[in-house]
Amino acid sequence: MRRSLIAALSLLALVAPRVLPSQERGATALRELTDGLSSTVRVLVIGAHPDDEDTQLITWLARGHRVETAYLSLTRGDGGQNLLGNELGEALGAIRTEELLAARRIDGAEQYFGRAYDFGFSKNAQEAFAHWPHDTLLKDVLTVVREFKPHVIISVFSGTPRDGHGQHQVAGILAREAFDLAADTVKWPARRTDGRGGWNVLKFYRSARFNLAEPTLTMDVGEYSPLLGRSYGEIAAESRSQHKSQAFGTLQRKGPIMDGVRLEATHISGFSGAGEKTLFDGIDTTWARVRGEDPAVVQRIDALLPVARAAVRSEDYRAAVRALTQLASADPEMNERVCRRALETTRGVAVNVLEPCSRSRDRDVSLTSMQRRAARAAAIAAGVAVEATVPRELATLGDSIRATVVLYNRGVDTLRYLGTELARWGAQVSVAEQTIGTTRIAPGDTLTVRLKSPGGTITQPNWLASPRVGDMFASGEGRAPTQHDTVVVTLASPTAPEAPFRVVSPVVYRYADPLRGEVQHPVAVVPPVSVTLGTTAEYVHANAAIDRVLHAELRSGSAKDQSVKIEVAAPAGLRAAPIADVNLPAWGTAVVDIQLRGKLAPGAHPVSVAAIANGQRYTTGYTRIDYPHINPRYLYRDATTTLQAVDVVVPKASVAYIPGVGDNVAPTLAQLGVDLTIVDPAKLATENLSRFNTIVIGPRAYESSAALVAANGKLLDYVKNGGRLVVQYEQNIMTQPGMMPYPITLARPADRVTDENAPVRMIGGSVLTTPNRISERDFAGWVQERALYMPRTFDPHYGAALEMNDPGETPNRGAILVAPYGRGTYVYTTLSLFRQLPAGVPGAARLMLNILAADAPRTTPVP
């Protein structure tokens, strides 16, 4: 019973880095929780990516109508772009995962994920299913549906070509298939969905928020809440603004905001949906729906609910605690009988597994949700606060860290302390070690408990603990779990001594930041020694003398100083200079320079590093991803860098580089030997541009920098005076008058070539011949895509160098455009060089060097 109890309660503790404005506390939170005790209905919203959610509808349901609401994202958004930093791929997926969890803390919904890796834009469902095996991903969706057990599913997408993105179409298709199949235990027995039995979803809707002439049901999701003093639209905007990596900060609009859904199917006998007024017409949303399953428990709930609501509204908190604690234990056998969560290890990853529920699953899930809400409300009414802190953020793998739990009784009654437990992955891992003070806590008093938090498992994203299989993660589907430690404190109130209640709190390291104030971070378990190399791929010149220094970073995860020996495995043709042993201070870091000399033939050559300390060999390390609006994440990788030896000629030019977003291009140019200077766009107004032969603007830099837009006139004058300006891909901003020397147009949606293996046809121009002759071989081995936001049409002054298209589509010549402007040359390229160069694609390096030296003929033929 104890383990399943902890598992249920630990779902309450999604660790937040800070208290957000919409995370209500005190009487407001108490009223919200109490009002939600009578709701027994559940809604699941399904989309493809983190930012596909209908945040306004989710907030209106979860916060406005106390409906238990969840959002299922098939992916973690790994294939998107990043306007926050330079992380891409799986690292970006970790950021966007945390941004979704931050959003859910505001709008009150739960979060689920599928195992699909976002491989980038796709143009139809067929292309997307070529990356994601249909039944594998359908299994994920069905598993979530059978676990969450929604009465209503709302699909964000239609599942048709009108959705545009192929991954959106897949989400719409699988949402409907899950509605149709969730109750079918013949085609989909419980063993295929991790032991979760069939579930009959009652209604299926599709979102119509972008076409309000289409819905069968509309609602004002901008409804004002006198209790909160804000509208649900304002709260939704705050939730939506957590997607900072996608630059989705939005205004908090007041006033009506209309949203709509269209009823597509129902499993309610005799219900057609004609004239429906709410999402739940035809569904009993009260406890009467399950009364026949357990009359005694429902009768008890019916008797206690009005007492609890009346006590809260009259601010009689003694009476509220008495009623709420009794509701929190309305069925004392629930934790043994209902949806127990067992701990299972799959490929070394701890995951929660839902066991089949006995009796009525609807009744049991509804009761579990109600008891969780009642327990939270009881803690607020009793005036209990719990702080669980540790002296540092890191804990050593295989060791333990001491946690201090302080209970504050800020209420009016003396409370009886019954015990503290610590949980990780929903399972008990430690019990209280030392109690300081009496077990009876009078008003105004505190009680301190000390316990050990064992460092048994490295802290890392559970979906990244095993390698991907194609474009599917090996694990990570279902409810977003917390690997972080939580404490569960059990107390009893004198008003209801027979009904103990529990308070859940995350275990955090807290410190004061001079600008941000209090900052809280969850504890992370790390190895005693972590070793990483700064890059995963670097360019070197083939068949030429190499003198390259790689930087290995050592991180200590130990309270003791360590002597570390470094071993380097270099490829044939390179030798590493001897490296002295390194003194790694406790919890400190050290950077080791690894000097490599020799020659390499063209091709990929891995270099690996190992750190040996205390008889142990360490070959992996972590990168810490940390932004103020999310919890830190620790991503592990092998200490290996692939040296890509390329046969290239580097133009003799002084190059200025203005970074864009998600932009790791500049370091690759430096590796190739380009004479490079990084220029801050804010300093362009005073910068002497004439000292540069070429200026390169990073991807989407104009969109992210008002200073760059303001300086665009100066940059065009630089071209007129004989300079060379290279602009990497932007979006619609480039169609605005004056942004480019000559106009272009973009289609909606913009043209792109998503097949990284699509044939490329050479048209001509110096960009294909000088200083490196480009051939079809240079387009081999590209990743994710070829080009994006390609101009559909362009002014005749531009000369096109390449032509490409996805299968079955019209060829597009907008990948590289070169135009004369004054005495200089203007180059616009929509090639995804920001992905290819950091990946070490050889042809991308040769092509980029040519772009840096591109010259337009003074007369350009009309394309």
Side-chain angles (χ1 to χ4, degrees), residues 73-76 78 90 97 112-117 136-137 139-140 194 344-353 425 460-481 483:
S73 176
L74 300 186
T75 77
R76 298 174 186 268
D78 327 75
E90 292 176 349
T97 294
Y112 290 82
F113 290 99
R115 288 177 296 154
Y117 174 74
T136 302
L137 195 52
K139 178 257 185 189
D140 288 357
D194 297 341
E344 178 178 272
T345 300
T346 304
R347 303 181 194 89
V349 183
V351 294
N352 287 324
V353 176
W425 290 107
Q460 62 180 321
N462 67 321
W463 69 96
L464 296 179
S466 300
R468 288 201 318 267
V469 179
D471 286 320
M472 295 292 294
F473 291 109
S475 60
E477 76 278 18
R479 189 192 303 265
Q483 185 183 2

Side-chain angles (χ1 to χ4, degrees), residues 133-154:
H134 174 279
D135 282 5
T136 302
L137 195 52
L138 176 59
K139 178 257 185 189
D140 288 357
V141 180
L142 283 170
T143 300
V144 169
V145 169
R146 288 177 171 183
E147 176 180 345
F148 183 65
K149 298 178 175 58
H151 302 93
V152 174
I153 288 178
I154 301 175

Side-chain angles (χ1 to χ4, degrees), residues 482-721:
T482 172
Q483 185 183 2
H484 306 305
D485 291 350
T486 57
V487 293
V488 181
V489 179
T490 305
L491 301 166
S493 165
T495 60
E498 78 287 356
F501 64 98
R502 295 163 182 88
V503 185
V504 182
S505 177
V507 180
V508 298
Y509 168 70
R510 60 192 296 205
Y511 66 95
D513 181 275
L515 298 180
R516 297 165 56 194
E518 178 169 325
V519 177
Q520 297 183 6
H521 285 162
V523 183
V525 179
V526 298
V529 176
S530 165
V531 56
T532 56
L533 289 171
T535 57
T536 58
E538 289 195 13
Y539 289 112
V540 295
H541 286 259
N543 298 318
I546 296 171
D547 189 351
R548 177 62 56 88
V549 175
L550 301 182
H551 303 290
E553 183 177 29
L554 302 176
R555 296 174 183 261
S556 171
S558 171
K560 299 178 181 179
D561 293 349
Q562 301 176 82
S563 177
V564 181
K565 180 182 178 182
I566 301 297
E567 290 185 355
V568 180
L574 288 187
R575 65 182 184 280
I579 301 172
D581 289 356
V582 179
N583 180 39
L584 184 60
W587 305 114
T589 61
V591 176
V592 181
D593 290 341
I594 300 172
Q595 190 170 48
L596 299 168
R597 290 191 175 97
K599 288 185 179 182
L600 291 174
H605 307 271
V607 177
S608 298
V609 174
I612 295 91
N614 302 313
Q616 296 293 318
R617 185 182 182 87
Y618 303 95
T619 59
T620 63
Y622 64 84
T623 300
R624 187 175 188 267
I625 297 176
D626 186 17
Y627 290 98
H629 67 300
I630 60 175
N631 283 318
R633 283 285 191 174
Y634 296 80
L635 274 61
Y636 284 79
R637 68 170 189 261
D638 293 336
T640 299
T641 291
T642 298
L643 297 181
Q644 187 65 252
V646 290
D647 186 6
V648 293
V649 177
V650 179
K652 294 181 179 179
S654 176
V655 178
Y657 195 95
I658 301 169
V661 299
D663 186 1
N664 294 300
V665 170
T668 66
L669 298 180
Q671 294 160 14
L672 290 165
V674 174
D675 179 9
L676 197 71
T677 301
I678 304 297
V679 176
D680 185 339
K683 297 181 179 179
L684 280 173
T686 58
E687 181 68 51
N688 177 18
L689 302 182
S690 64
R691 64 193 182 99
F692 301 112
N693 305 106
T694 302
I695 297 174
V696 182
I697 296 176
R700 298 183 71 178
Y702 281 111
E703 295 178 61
S704 61
S705 173
L708 179 60
V709 174
N712 193 53
K714 182 176 180 178
L715 291 168
L716 292 178
D717 287 341
Y718 160 82
V719 182
K720 281 183 180 180
N721 293 326

Side-chain angles (χ1 to χ4, degrees), residues 426-467:
Q428 178 185 339
V429 295
S430 179
V431 295
E433 181 181 87
Q434 180 184 11
T435 302
I436 303 172
T438 177
T439 57
R440 296 182 63 82
I441 315 169
D445 283 352
T446 63
L447 174 69
T448 300
V449 178
R450 301 193 191 282
L451 48 81
K452 286 184 178 181
S453 171
T457 306
I458 284 178
T459 302
Q460 62 180 321
N462 67 321
W463 69 96
L464 296 179
S466 300

Side-chain angles (χ1 to χ4, degrees), residues 53 121 283 301 321 341 359 373 387 430 433 456 491 507 536 546 708 716 718 753 756 761 795 806 838:
E53 57 189 351
F121 190 85
I283 303 174
I301 292 171
V321 170
R341 290 178 177 272
R359 305 179 67 186
R373 286 176 169 173
E387 290 181 345
S430 179
E433 181 181 87
L491 301 166
V507 180
T536 58
I546 296 171
L708 179 60
L716 292 178
Y718 160 82
V753 178
E756 64 269 31
R761 291 164 289 282
D795 187 277
D806 277 329

